[in-house]
Amino acid sequence: MTSFWSLDFDGVSDYIQLPEIEAVRAVSVWLRRDSIQAHGSTQTMLVTSSGLQFESTDTQGEDAWTKLCIDGIEQPVTWASVPASRWLHLHLEMPASVTIGAVFMCNWQQQNCLHGSIAETYLWQRILDSRELGIIVAGWDHSPRDTGLLGWYRIEEGEGGSLLDALEINGMAYMRGSDWALEFPEFATSAKPAVATVAAAVTAAAKFTTKVPATAKPVLTEPTETVAASATS
């Protein structure tokens, strides 16, 4: 199975919203951020309903991330560690497991949107070591039901506004405004599986990529007032 698709975000009002998922300890995503942004100095890559966020300004919550890895290599947990204008694998770990809903590429108020692209997104129940991250970056060496993998949004639907969890565990994620693009990172999980058995597993997971009508529309659900305040401080 080969990966063909990614989602392109214009940096104005586009985003992806994931459903509430329990016991999340880490988030990984294949990301490309443009060097030219529509919102000046502040762009939000990720904000969670638990109050954690990762964005271009030094905001409350960023310091709570305990680990940031780019292409499998640990980096300082700052926006400056994320290169622009190329595909990369970004991995963030939290100090403890939480139940989160998450929004990618903007904040809860549909502001500070990030201009760029996303391919695959993973949510983990545990932290990953450098060996595991290196394997993921170089070519997927896990089955879709790997221990600790809570959610795997492959972003391979190619149309519509809904994204399915390839593990068939969680509800659908929703996209708003972003465009489907025939572009993907060279070493995306399903673009270069490391072994034949993994390729077969990825092919099996593809049965969940049912086409969704383009009329499907997401609804951005703002968290509690306290959390929303911390996300915009």
Side-chain angles (χ1 to χ4, degrees):
M1 181 65 183
T2 301
S3 176
F4 289 104
W5 296 97
S6 63
L7 288 172
D8 186 60
F9 300 80
D10 63 9
V12 178
S13 60
D14 299 354
Y15 63 83
I16 294 176
Q17 182 173 1
L18 269 63
E20 290 281 331
I21 298 176
E22 296 181 355
V24 176
R25 183 71 187 274
V27 179
S28 306
V29 62
W30 285 96
L31 173 75
R32 179 185 59 77
R33 72 176 183 92
D34 279 24
S35 57
I36 300 175
Q37 297 291 328
H39 287 292
S41 61
T42 302
Q43 301 92 45
T44 302
M45 192 280 289
L46 170 65
V47 61
T48 74
S49 56
S50 63
L52 287 174
Q53 56 197 39
F54 188 70
E55 61 180 24
S56 59
T57 54
D58 186 15
T59 57
Q60 180 179 352
E62 180 174 317
D63 292 340
W65 298 102
T66 56
K67 185 177 181 179
L68 167 67
C69 292
I70 302 294
D71 295 333
I73 300 173
E74 188 167 357
Q75 303 288 348
V77 187
T78 67
W79 190 258
S81 297
V82 184
S85 302
R86 73 169 179 86
W87 281 105
L88 56 90
H89 182 272
L90 184 149
H91 177 79
L92 284 166
E93 293 181 355
M94 309 173 199
S97 298
V98 296
T99 298
I100 65 169
V103 172
F104 285 86
M105 309 302 271
C106 79
N107 63 20
W108 287 106
Q109 288 74 40
Q110 301 179 40
Q111 299 170 344
N112 302 336
C113 298
L114 178 61
H115 184 197
S117 303
I118 283 180
E120 296 181 332
T121 301
Y122 330 91
L123 295 101
W124 300 91
Q125 191 176 29
R126 60 181 177 85
I127 60 175
L128 278 66
D129 60 33
S130 58
R131 181 192 63 84
E132 291 175 306
L133 288 170
I135 289 172
I136 292 172
V137 171
W140 192 240
D141 195 20
H142 299 261
S143 76
R145 297 191 183 278
D146 175 60
T147 302
L149 186 59
L150 295 174
W152 179 19
Y153 292 88
R154 294 185 61 239
I155 307 182
E156 281 297 301
E157 286 78 1
E159 64 180 16
S162 301
L163 309 172
L164 303 182
D165 176 15
L167 306 186
E168 207 180 29
I169 297 174
N170 307 292
M172 289 187 294
Y174 295 97
M175 52 181 273
R176 181 194 179 201
S178 50
D179 297 319
W180 288 100
L182 286 167
E183 179 186 2
F184 55 89
E186 181 180 358
F187 295 115
T189 296
S190 51
K192 188 180 178 182
V195 293
T197 54
V198 175
V202 172
T203 300
K207 68 181 181 180
F208 299 122
T209 58
T210 306
K211 303 301 183 183
V212 180
T215 54
K217 296 183 182 298
V219 177
L220 192 69
T221 304
E222 188 172 338
T224 65
E225 184 175 342
T226 300
V227 172
S230 68
T232 56
S233 59

